[in-house]
């Protein structure tokens, strides 16, 4: 990998690593009486490891050929490996916390392993670790192929990828040692947040510069989605995380937003993290890898443009549906509800567009589990966006809010849509990237598919049941007009579903492990002698829409 | 006071709606503009082509 | 004209960026902007008091342990919630809360009005092992909190940061933060009197965990739980008795 860098680029890499290590040292010094010091040491070790790698390859031969004649795939490969590693970690944490709800003694009486600290390691591990690395890797791939141009930087892709993973490490390790803002899906503290801003701005500039050097006149629509993902996540992250640290030597900070403002800002962030992290970015994947795998152009390009602007515009208004019947002003709740319902239009347009693309290729869906992953993802996307609009309606929300129904909804989206589209994309991407004819084992892809589907269905059905039962028990009255059930009654009714949910999650985790094995064996297998694309026909000429 | 809560809310409610409509019209016009059809068709087929190296 | 405009837009990466910002930001701005002036709509509560240093420290433990993942602190304007938990939550009640802890999931019950509902002793027993008190509970045990001394020397920094963000702590409160935290959990010492002077006579001064000599994280967390819903009486004045409160949907 270091062979792709010129010697001056290697020196720059070393300088950056040293600079980061110095920042780590400073953090360790000023924060020596606080948990901040622990993170300072971690930053130093991380930067030190990078530095060691760079220095050990400093005098390797420089690249001889013109790098601009090939795509830059090394960071993508590393990103895929990291993504799968985070998937296993994050999903394992998920199974563990799910099991704790059924068997609370699985916390083993320690602070770091209690539900409240492990839960954000699960959410951060799967959303940012697994999802984020997959987004970075696939966006690097898609932007190069659709622009017919190499990434506009040799070092910056590595900075983005490794810097992002440093952020994830700081976040996840922080929760275990008690560093958290307790802002849902934005728990990392101020210094990690600042670091992410630096990484993200680099990512944005790199992406923009790569698009600017494209040879295709038109920017393919997948890039629009990736672009929206990068841009809006930056805005959300900065606004939501504005905070005042109690001192430079402490990890603890207080958010600048008090009470009701904080609630609105947090859910504006929270819901748009769903929109632009977990939807827009993955739609970018969908609009590239699904047509490529099916070898059919997207059903309607125009529809993809309309739904792009619909999603970009409508989602931003929807966050307040998380705060129905609360102390948030009524009109803001109504606005959030209205736009959440309207969101169904662009969402179903996207899902329908994906499924109609497969029309005429259903025999391929039947035979190819990779394509089936993406087909199922589109179906789950349609289901969970419908469910989302439904749950945002105020009276429905009065039942579902605070219950497991919300958790079931999130996982219908996260497992059924986000994870399935990612696995489908990675199974498409891995053989082409490593220049293998196909995945090591088509049968294992098949096994993974059915484990993932079974796991998702068990999970969401368990949570739909438990959520609705819970919601109904809370509002059931006796004939005398008293509440019929105590809170504990409703908790007792949940236990069977908590066990079923943990089992569903376990199946999903096993599927991911199978996927890791399959990818690893693919990478290890012999590369193709002939150039790639033996089984990729030239684009068929399809006239009109 | 000029910028009290009610006037901000009123502004948001009225101009926000106009903004929404203007944006929707703009997007629809762009999407269905006849001369864009060729470019879109080209784009949707472009990703299926053989591609192992950046273009010169 | 639109043709030229859009063709440029599409062809230019920068144009795309600006268009995305224009489309995406306005939704947020329209929704968020009125919230900058929302303090005008937050109810008045002249009796509202701030968290004492010990309660703030307890709140930070609540934050650190991620309690919000299972407990909400937001009673909605629904009949069954009001009857189960008490008067619905008002915006003013979380005006000093950074971050807000309204929560999104009730694996356990809402805690917005848990203050004063149970004794200190009950809370300590429950936190030590929830299943001793509620056999069906699936809450983690936090018995190690009683073994962990509370870190009090940083508390002036915490209050100073809150003050900088607009919470009306006085300089005297900031200076005495560590002493006040100690005093609130050790009723027999000289420091106890200062807490009542600075934060009001109704401040609960107590050996929360039953140990009068040492201040632990258990003390702080219980002190926080006992003040939940009691910073102001505004919610009770506005809503009267639970059964008198009509269903807002009806």
């Amino acid at each position: 990998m270091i062979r792709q860098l010129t010697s001056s680029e290697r020196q720059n890499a070393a300088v950056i690593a040293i600079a980061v290590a110095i920042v780590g040292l400073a953090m360790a010094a000023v924060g020596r009486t606080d948990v901040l010091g622990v993170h300072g040491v971690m930053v130093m070790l991380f930067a030190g490891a990078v530095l060691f790698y760079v220095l050990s390859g400093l005098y390797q031969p420089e690249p001889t050929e013109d790098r601009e004649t090939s795509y830059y795939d090394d960071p993508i490969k590393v990103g895929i490996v990291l993504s799968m590693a985070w998937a296993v970690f994050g999903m394992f944490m998920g199974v563990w916390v799910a099991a704790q709800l059924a068997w609370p003694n699985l916390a083993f009486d320690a602070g770091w392993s209690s539900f409240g600290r492990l839960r954000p390691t699960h959410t951060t591990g799967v959303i940012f670790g697994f999802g984020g690395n997959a987004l970075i890797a696939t966006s690097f791939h898609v932007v190069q192929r659709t622009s017919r141009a190499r990434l506009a930087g040799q070092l910056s892709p590595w900075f983005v990828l490794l810097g992002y993973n440093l952020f994830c490490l700081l976040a996840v390790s922080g929760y275990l040692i008690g560093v958290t803002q307790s802002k849902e899906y934005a728990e990392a503290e101020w210094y990690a947040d600042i670091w992410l801003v630096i990484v993200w701005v680099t990512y944005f500039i790199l992406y923009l510069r790569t698009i600017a050097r494209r040879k295709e006149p038109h920017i393919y629509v997948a890039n629009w989605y990736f672009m929206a993902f990068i841009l809006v996540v930056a805005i959300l992250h900065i606004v939501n995380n504005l905070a005042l640290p109690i001192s430079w030597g402490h990890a603890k900070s207080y958010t600048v937003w008090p009470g009701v403002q904080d609630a609105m800002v947090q859910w504006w962030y929270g819901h748009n993290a769903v929109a632009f992290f977990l939807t827009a970015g993955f739609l970018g994947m969908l609009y590239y890898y699904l047509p490529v795998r099916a070898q059919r152009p997207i059903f309607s390009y125009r529809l993809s443009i309309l739904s792009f602007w619909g999603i970009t515009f409508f989602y931003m208004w929807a966050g307040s549906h998380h705060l129905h019947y609360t102390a948030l002003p009524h009109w803001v709740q109504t606005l959030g509800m209205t736009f959440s319902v309207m969101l169904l239009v662009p969402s179903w347009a996207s899902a329908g567009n994906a499924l109609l693309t497969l029309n005429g290729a259903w025999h391929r869906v039947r035979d190819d589990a990779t394509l089936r992953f993406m087909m199922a993802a589109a179906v789950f996307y349609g289901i969970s966006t419908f469910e989302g609009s439904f749950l945002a309606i105020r009276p429905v929300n009065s039942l579902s809010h605070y219950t497991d129904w919300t958790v079931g909804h999130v996982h219908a989206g996260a497992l059924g849509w986000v994870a399935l589209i990612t696995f489908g994309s990675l199974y498409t991407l891995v053989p082409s990237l490593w220049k293998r004819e196909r995945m090591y084992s088509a049968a294992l892809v098949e096994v993974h598919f059915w484990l993932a589907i079974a796991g998702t269905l068990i999970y969401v059905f368990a949570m739909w049941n438990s959520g609705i039962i819970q919601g109904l028990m809370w509002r059931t009255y006796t004939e005398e007009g008293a509440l019929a059930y105590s809170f504990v009654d409703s908790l007792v009714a949940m236990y069977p579903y908590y066990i079923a949910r943990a089992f569903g999650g376990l199946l999903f985790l096993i599927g991911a492990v199978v996927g890791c094995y399959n990818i690893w064996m693919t990478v290890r297998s012999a590369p193709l002698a002939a150039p790639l694309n033996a089984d990729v026909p030239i684009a068929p000429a399809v006239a009109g829409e | 006071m000029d910028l009290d809560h009610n006037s901000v809310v009123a502004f948001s409610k009225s101009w926000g709606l106009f903004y929404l409509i203007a944006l929707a019209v703009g997007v629809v016009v762009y999407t269905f503009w006849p001369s864009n059809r060729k470019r879109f068709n080209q784009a949707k087929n472009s990703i299926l082509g053989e591609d192992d190296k950046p273009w010169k | 004209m639109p043709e030229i405009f859009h063709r440029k837009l599409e062809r230019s990466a920068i144009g795309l960026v600006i268009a995305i910002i224009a489309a995406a930001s306005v939704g947020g701005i329209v929704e968020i902007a009125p919230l900058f002036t929302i303090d005008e709509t937050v109810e008045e509560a002249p009796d509202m008091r701030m968290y004492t240093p010990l309660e703030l420290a307890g709140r930070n433990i609540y934050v650190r342990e991620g309690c919000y993942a299972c407990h909400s602190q937001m009673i909605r304007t629904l009949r069954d919630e009001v009857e189960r938990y008490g008067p619905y939550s008002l915006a003013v009640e979380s005006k000093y809360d950074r971050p807000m802890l309204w929560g999104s999931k009730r694996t356990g019950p809402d805690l917005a009005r848990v203050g004063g509902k149970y004794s200190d002793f009950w809370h300590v027993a429950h936190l030590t092992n929830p299943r001793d008190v509620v056999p069906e509970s699936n809450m983690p045990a936090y018995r190690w909190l009683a073994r962990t001394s509370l870190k009090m020397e940083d508390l002036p920094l915490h209050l100073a940061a809150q003050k900088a963000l607009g919470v009306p702590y006085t300089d005297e409160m900031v200076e005495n933060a560590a002493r006040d935290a100690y005093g609130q959990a050790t009723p027999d010492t000289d420091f106890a009197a200062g807490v009542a002077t600075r934060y009001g006579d109704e401040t609960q001064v107590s050996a929360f965990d039953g140990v009068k000599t040492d201040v632990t994280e258990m003390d702080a967390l219980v002190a926080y739980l006992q003040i939940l819903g009691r910073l102001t009486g505004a919610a009770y004045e506005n809503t009267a008795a639970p059964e008198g409160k009509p269903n807002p949907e009806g």
Side-chain angles (χ1 to χ4, degrees):
Chain A
M1 287 179 284
I2 191 112
R3 283 167 177 270
Q4 287 249 2
L5 300 177
T6 63
S7 92
S8 72
E9 283 158 1
R10 291 174 200 173
Q11 285 164 15
N12 289 341
V15 169
I16 294 172
I18 290 169
V20 174
I22 289 172
V23 172
L25 180 67
M27 280 166 65
V30 297
R32 64 192 173 282
T33 59
D34 191 76
V35 276
L36 181 68
V38 179
H39 272 164
V41 173
M42 267 183 61
V43 171
M44 268 166 64
L45 290 175
F46 188 94
V50 172
L51 184 64
F52 177 79
Y53 176 77
V54 171
L55 290 182
S56 66
L58 197 58
Y59 297 108
Q60 293 222 2
E62 292 200 42
T64 46
E65 74 213 74
D66 180 9
R67 289 181 296 190
E68 295 302 318
T69 59
S70 66
Y71 290 126
Y72 199 8
D73 288 345
D74 287 352
I76 306 172
K77 292 178 179 174
V78 174
I80 290 172
V81 172
L82 287 169
S83 172
M84 289 306 287
W86 278 108
V88 172
F89 168 79
M91 291 173 194
F92 171 77
M93 285 303 184
V95 174
W96 187 6
V97 290
Q100 279 195 9
L101 288 181
W103 300 286
N105 289 328
L106 286 174
F108 308 114
D109 205 19
W112 65 272
S113 59
S114 65
F115 181 90
R117 292 201 193 181
L118 292 189
R119 191 241 184 197
T121 68
H122 162 59
T123 53
T124 303
V126 290
I127 297 172
F128 296 108
F130 169 50
N133 275 300
L135 285 171
I136 292 175
T138 53
S139 71
F140 283 172
H141 181 252
V142 170
V143 73
Q144 293 189 89
R145 264 58 180 190
T146 55
S147 303
R148 321 275 181 189
R150 188 181 163 97
L151 283 177
Q154 306 300 328
L155 206 51
S156 51
W158 290 112
F159 180 79
V160 171
L161 187 67
L162 297 178
Y164 181 74
N165 280 277
L166 176 59
F167 165 79
C168 293
L169 278 176
L170 289 177
V172 165
S173 63
Y175 312 148
L176 297 175
I177 57 176
V179 179
T180 172
Q181 298 192 90
S182 271
K183 288 189 149 203
E184 229 173 333
Y185 313 114
E187 292 91 348
E189 268 294 356
W190 60 276
Y191 48 93
D193 289 334
I194 293 173
W195 173 246
L196 185 62
V197 171
I198 298 170
V199 169
W200 213 255
V201 169
T202 314
Y203 185 21
F204 172 66
I205 294 170
L206 171 65
Y207 206 87
L208 196 61
R209 285 182 58 221
T210 306
I211 288 182
R213 31 174 19 209
R214 71 190 184 278
K215 308 293 191 301
E216 287 274 8
H218 179 77
I219 304 174
Y220 184 68
V221 72
N223 291 308
W224 302 23
Y225 284 94
F226 281 122
M227 205 75 221
F229 147 63
I230 298 170
L231 258 173
V232 180
V233 167
I235 300 171
L236 298 170
H237 174 76
I238 291 171
V239 173
N240 185 42
N241 285 301
L242 288 175
L244 181 67
I246 62 166
S247 90
W248 295 114
H250 285 81
K252 175 74 189 170
S253 69
Y254 289 104
T255 176
V256 302
W257 311 110
V260 63
Q261 281 181 347
D262 189 37
M264 189 59 228
V265 171
Q266 274 198 44
W267 285 113
W268 172 74
Y269 166 88
H271 196 75
N272 287 304
V274 174
F276 290 91
F277 209 96
L278 296 177
T279 302
F282 291 91
L283 281 171
M285 272 188 210
L286 178 91
Y287 279 119
Y288 183 79
Y289 293 105
L290 183 115
V292 164
R293 187 72 187 187
Q295 278 303 300
R296 301 173 61 81
I298 193 78
F299 168 70
S300 167
Y301 197 82
R302 283 173 170 166
L303 195 56
S304 70
I305 293 174
L306 286 177
S307 41
F308 172 79
W309 290 108
I311 285 171
T312 308
F313 192 70
F314 289 163
Y315 253 113
M316 275 294 188
W317 307 59
S320 49
H321 68 225
H322 288 256
L323 300 166
H324 282 328
Y325 301 103
T326 66
L328 191 76
H330 202 259
W331 71 272
V332 186
Q333 299 179 21
T334 307
L335 199 67
M337 173 170 86
T338 312
F339 276 86
S340 303
V341 173
M342 284 162 74
L343 253 177
L344 190 61
V345 176
S347 300
W348 272 27
S350 302
N353 208 354
L355 292 175
L356 287 169
T357 303
L358 296 171
N359 231 352
W362 291 109
H363 61 288
R364 300 192 61 152
V365 177
R366 182 192 63 207
D367 297 338
D368 179 9
T370 303
L371 194 56
R372 215 179 314 125
F373 260 114
M374 297 194 256
M375 186 275 292
V379 172
F380 272 107
Y381 179 65
I383 294 172
S384 54
T385 47
F386 173 77
E387 192 185 17
S389 297
F390 183 60
L391 294 180
I393 299 170
R394 205 183 281 122
V396 181
N397 196 268
S398 75
L399 177 80
S400 72
H401 193 53
Y402 294 134
T403 74
D404 287 320
W405 194 351
T406 312
V407 182
H409 164 59
V410 170
H411 283 82
L415 302 176
W417 154 241
V418 173
L420 293 192
I421 190 68
T422 305
F423 290 135
S425 301
L426 293 188
Y427 285 140
T428 308
L429 181 54
V430 165
S432 98
L433 212 53
W434 269 276
K435 314 259 185 279
R436 307 291 188 266
E437 194 189 342
R438 59 174 74 90
M439 286 300 294
Y440 163 73
S441 163
L444 286 180
V445 179
E446 196 75 41
V447 168
H448 183 184
F449 176 79
W450 289 110
L451 281 170
I453 293 292
T456 306
L457 290 178
I458 292 172
Y459 192 111
V460 297
F461 273 100
M463 291 293 94
W464 283 337
N465 274 300
S466 70
I468 293 171
I469 291 173
Q470 208 172 17
L472 290 175
M473 285 179 85
W474 288 346
R475 55 161 63 174
T476 302
Y477 282 86
T478 60
E479 282 178 17
E480 292 78 37
L483 289 167
Y485 300 101
S486 72
F487 189 89
V488 170
D489 291 338
S490 73
L491 173 64
V492 171
M494 295 304 102
Y495 275 103
Y497 300 107
Y498 285 161
I499 294 170
R501 180 256 292 269
F503 178 68
L506 180 66
L507 291 186
F508 205 90
L509 168 66
I510 295 171
V513 173
V514 170
C516 285
Y517 174 75
N518 204 357
I519 289 174
W520 178 244
M521 293 306 284
T522 308
V523 172
R524 277 189 51 189
S525 64
L528 283 175
L532 188 67
N533 298 332
D535 64 343
V536 179
I538 306 294
V542 178
E545 271 185 24
Chain B
M1 194 170 71
D2 282 331
L3 212 70
D4 72 344
H5 185 65
N6 288 332
S7 55
V8 176
V9 170
F11 179 84
S12 293
K13 284 181 176 175
S14 54
W15 290 100
L17 189 66
F18 289 134
Y19 190 89
L20 189 160
I21 294 167
L23 202 97
V25 169
V27 169
V28 171
V29 166
Y30 166 67
T31 310
F32 289 98
W33 202 261
S35 61
N36 280 339
R37 171 189 282 267
K38 202 175 127 226
R39 184 176 314 118
F40 293 160
N41 274 333
Q42 211 173 5
K44 75 176 186 179
N45 288 307
S46 71
I47 59 165
L48 302 177
E50 184 173 346
D51 179 31
D52 204 25
K53 282 182 170 20
W55 287 359
K56 290 284 172 188
Chain C
M1 172 59 198
E3 218 243 312
I4 298 162
F5 173 73
H6 286 302
R7 184 171 293 192
K8 272 188 179 166
L9 176 102
E10 177 205 60
R11 281 173 178 273
S12 152
I14 298 282
L16 179 60
V17 168
I18 292 168
I20 291 172
I21 292 178
S25 62
V26 169
I29 289 167
V30 170
E31 238 179 354
I32 298 278
L35 294 171
F36 288 102
T37 53
I38 205 158
D39 47 338
E40 295 168 27
T41 67
V42 171
E43 311 79 356
E44 292 282 318
D47 64 334
M48 178 87 180
R49 80 155 169 90
M50 296 161 291
Y51 295 109
T52 65
L54 188 69
E55 290 154 8
L56 185 67
R59 189 170 201 277
N60 288 337
I61 292 166
Y62 187 103
V63 164
R64 184 188 72 193
E65 300 306 328
C67 305
Y68 73 99
C70 294
H71 293 284
S72 58
Q73 289 185 21
M74 172 48 63
I75 300 167
R76 296 180 295 168
T77 53
L78 299 168
R79 179 181 160 204
D80 61 293
E81 300 219 352
V82 171
E83 290 186 7
R84 191 182 295 279
Y85 300 114
Y88 61 78
S89 300
L90 302 179
V92 68
E93 292 180 276
S94 44
K95 100 173 159 173
Y96 298 136
D97 286 3
R98 295 163 198 271
M100 64 90 194
L101 294 170
W102 294 6
S104 59
K105 175 74 174 68
R106 285 180 187 154
T107 304
D110 187 276
L111 299 181
R113 310 220 175 276
V114 83
K117 201 169 168 186
Y118 304 96
S119 67
D120 296 346
F121 181 78
W122 186 93
H123 277 297
V124 173
H126 181 251
L127 286 164
T128 302
N129 183 15
R131 277 155 295 286
D132 289 349
V133 187
V134 184
E136 304 88 348
S137 171
N138 62 351
M139 181 171 135
Y142 288 96
R143 57 173 68 88
W144 50 275
L145 288 177
R147 298 194 295 261
T148 313
S149 290
L150 182 68
K151 200 174 175 187
M152 285 176 288
E153 65 271 22
D154 297 338
L155 281 170
L157 288 173
H158 287 264
L159 265 70
Q162 295 253 322
K163 184 168 183 263
L165 291 169
V167 182
Y169 286 114
T170 63
D171 289 336
E172 198 197 345
M173 288 172 172
V174 173
E175 266 170 49
N176 290 296
R179 278 180 285 275
D180 286 346
Y182 183 79
Q184 196 180 349
T186 53
D188 299 339
T189 61
D190 299 339
F191 298 110
V195 185
T197 322
R198 275 182 280 277
Y199 294 92
D201 291 331
E202 286 180 31
T203 311
Q204 192 186 0
V205 177
S206 162
F208 293 95
D209 65 355
V211 182
K212 293 189 176 180
T213 46
D214 191 20
V215 180
T216 63
E217 296 197 332
M218 184 71 85
D219 281 312
L221 185 57
V222 173
Y224 171 63
L225 292 173
Q226 291 292 33
I227 197 63
L228 280 175
R230 297 168 75 197
L231 290 174
T232 166
Y236 295 88
E237 287 156 27
N238 281 2
T239 57
E243 67 234 56
K245 177 68 209 156
N247 182 355
E249 286 299 292

